[in-house]
Amino acid sequence: MEQEIVSARGLTRKFGAFTAVDHIDFSVRRGEIFGFLGANGAGKTTTIRILCGLLRPTGGTCLVDGLDVDRQAEAVKRLIGYMSQRFSLYEDLTVEENLEFYGGVYGLNEAELGRRKHGLLKELELEGLEKRMTAALPLGWKQRLALGCAVIHRPRMVFLDEPTGGVDPVSRRNFWAMIHAMAAEGVTVFVTTHYMDEAEYCDRISIMDAGRIIALGPPSKLKERYAQATVEDLFSHLLDSSREGSRP
Amino acid sequence: MSYPVQVAGLQKSFGNLKAVDDFSLELGQGELFGLIGPDGAGKTTLIRILVGLMLADGGSASVGGFDVVRERARVKEIIGYMPQRFSLYPDLTLEENLRFYADLFQVPEAERRARQQRLMQFSRLEPFLGRRAGQLSGGMKQKLALSCTLIHQPEILFLDEPTTGVDPLSRREFWSLLDSLQAEGKTIVVSTAYMDEAVRCDRVGLMFTGRLMAVDTPERLRKTYPFDLLEVELDEPVLNLQLIKGLPRVRSVQVFGDRLHVGVAEAQAAAASLERELSQRAVGPVRVRRIEPCLEDVFVELIGSWKERISRDPDKRGE
């Protein structure tokens, strides 16, 4: 098995005259937690959508677990799990029905689905809430349910797009404990966040600005290289200097 | 003299669920008040009652001296309300969105140009006036939403998680706008999930299961942390979390970025025993030092223990 589960070379996406993702090169190692950081509008969500086979690149190549995201998009979708910013949950279904729905979409058989469902309800601390209507759940619980739906088919890699936006500090820590547990089982986690303390939990991070990756490495190494105390300082420092340089 | 915001014994239930439970509060003129609490604590419900969008079941509330039920129309004139999902029209330009809100609030024609100019300078959105709202970045959208909220020159602002999904640089910029609004004398109520924002408020209210559990200045709230606090730096903080939880004198362990915050009984003795125990277990280099708790320490500790207490009762877990 290759060591790299994602490898992008010159990956580009244009929308008309606007280049959202501008010739980026990076790779994600199997089993790591990879933090994908950047300012609003830097191109993070566009990149994730390409990696998940939901949007075709207009240039470059990208392999996910050996599959080409452009030519083998359908196979990529089955292989990965994806949790979008706006959790794709059915509000008028119960907690259990949402899990069953996603299990069905991924073609799990009944016995498998039953086992997986019970395991996830336990892991995600949603036991006792099976029959609860999804619309009535607080945000932190919806978020855990959305994670459950994204991993019900045991993907090798999961993409989480701002999973903790608006979530309180206690729920964020619970959620990250679940991410660490998944990573410990060998699942590769690709995550975006605007909470810089969460970026510190990642094995490696990249920082994106205006469609390009301007830094990539383990948080500790990057902080050392740019002489910054925290990832938050690093983020401000790199974005300020990147924008300074691009001014006419 | 009346308070800009005065709430007494406010109650609101949805079925069996008490969303707002005997909530009382008084805000001073020009105060910047932060509302924090876990998801589902009732923050949004409270704000919706105060802006006159929802009726309480009991208690009373006034804003700017006007009763939020009987004098709802007067309340709407003097407040600005920015909900979590502010309705900008993505197909309209920035300028057209502002004009739409000016219409909605019946801003006199003669004043519009001057107000628009002032707001655009204030929020530094001037270069983007002709851009469609749908093409703005997340941070810019929130600044536009704030500008629309300000078009009728309200005295009291209610902002419901205005910076969720906004990157750190844009968040800082947004908060510098709130500082200047406060300097103009506006009273501001803002809810947030970011503790680094809450510390910028004059006072912070901590809400849980519909109740106001604590309200004070960030400085005094920090002092309510129940243990001595140690910061522990080591190679694999998450992997060693359980190990540290089991050590003597340790009362609480939380992950803070690449470090651990460890609540202990008696800092000096605990630091010594922590260093000794960890070096015996050869987890690599360890650095332990005493630190002052931050607001996030207090939040995580208090909410964590309250949540723990009700987690065994599934009926209450709906909250």
Side-chain angles (χ1 to χ4, degrees), chain A residues 38-41 44 86 125-129 132 136-141 143-144 162 165-174 180 194-198 200-201 220 223 229 232-233 235-236 239-240 243, chain B residues 17 37-41 43 85 137-140 161 164-172 193-196 236 238-239 254-259 296-297 299-301 303-304 307 314-319:
Chain A
N40 295 123
K44 301 188 301 292
R86 300 229 169 130
E125 294 169 23
L126 292 170
E127 273 175 317
L129 295 165
R132 194 66 75 93
L137 294 178
L139 181 65
W141 307 40
Q143 166 217 35
R144 268 139 55 193
E162 281 185 40
V167 173
D168 73 72
V170 177
S171 304
R172 288 205 291 124
R173 283 177 172 73
N174 287 343
H180 285 298
H194 288 308
Y195 291 94
M196 294 301 113
D197 60 335
E198 295 182 353
E200 309 263 9
Y201 309 155
S220 55
K223 284 187 282 185
E232 172 131 13
D233 296 338
F235 186 88
S236 308
L239 253 57
D240 283 343
R243 286 168 188 185
Chain B
L17 176 77
D39 313 312
K43 304 185 293 291
R85 291 214 179 143
S137 75
M140 285 159 84
E161 295 197 10
T164 290
V166 173
D167 72 66
L169 294 184
S170 308
R171 279 206 299 130
R172 229 173 277 170
Y194 292 95
M195 295 304 112
D196 61 348
E236 294 285 355
V238 177
L239 294 182
Q254 297 294 342
V255 184
F256 271 74
D258 59 351
R259 286 136 206 231
E296 186 146 339
D297 288 302
F299 184 101
V300 172
E301 192 54 45
I303 301 289
K307 275 190 174 178
D315 280 338
K316 284 193 186 147
R317 283 171 67 186
E319 174 57 41

Side-chain angles (χ1 to χ4, degrees), chain A residues 16-31:
Chain A
F18 175 66
T19 306
V21 178
D22 194 1
H23 296 88
I24 59 172
D25 299 303
F26 72 99
S27 55
V28 178
R29 295 174 193 150
R30 218 168 269 282

Side-chain angles (χ1 to χ4, degrees), chain A residues 131-203:
Chain A
K131 310 283 182 213
R132 194 66 75 93
M133 220 32 121
T134 301
L137 294 178
L139 181 65
W141 307 40
K142 278 189 190 163
Q143 166 217 35
R144 268 139 55 193
L145 177 58
L147 177 65
C149 293
V151 300
I152 191 139
H153 57 302
R154 296 186 185 279
R156 284 190 197 156
M157 177 164 192
V158 60
F159 291 86
L160 312 173
D161 195 3
E162 281 185 40
T164 54
V167 173
D168 73 72
V170 177
S171 304
R172 288 205 291 124
R173 283 177 172 73
N174 287 343
F175 190 78
W176 271 89
M178 288 164 194
I179 291 183
H180 285 298
M182 268 179 0
E185 284 172 19
V187 178
T188 307
V189 179
F190 189 95
V191 59
T192 74
T193 181
H194 288 308
Y195 291 94
M196 294 301 113
D197 60 335
E198 295 182 353
E200 309 263 9
Y201 309 155
C202 300
D203 295 310

Side-chain angles (χ1 to χ4, degrees), chain B residues 189-229:
Chain B
V189 176
V190 55
S191 69
T192 181
Y194 292 95
M195 295 304 112
D196 61 348
E197 296 184 347
V199 295
R200 299 181 62 154
C201 297
D202 296 318
R203 281 194 304 158
V204 175
L206 176 53
M207 222 176 152
F208 184 66
T209 60
R211 294 192 193 185
L212 188 60
M213 304 293 269
V215 54
D216 217 326
T217 62
E219 192 53 31
R220 280 202 288 266
L221 277 179
R222 284 198 313 113
K223 301 218 162 97
T224 64
Y225 187 75
F227 313 117
D228 289 349
L229 190 62

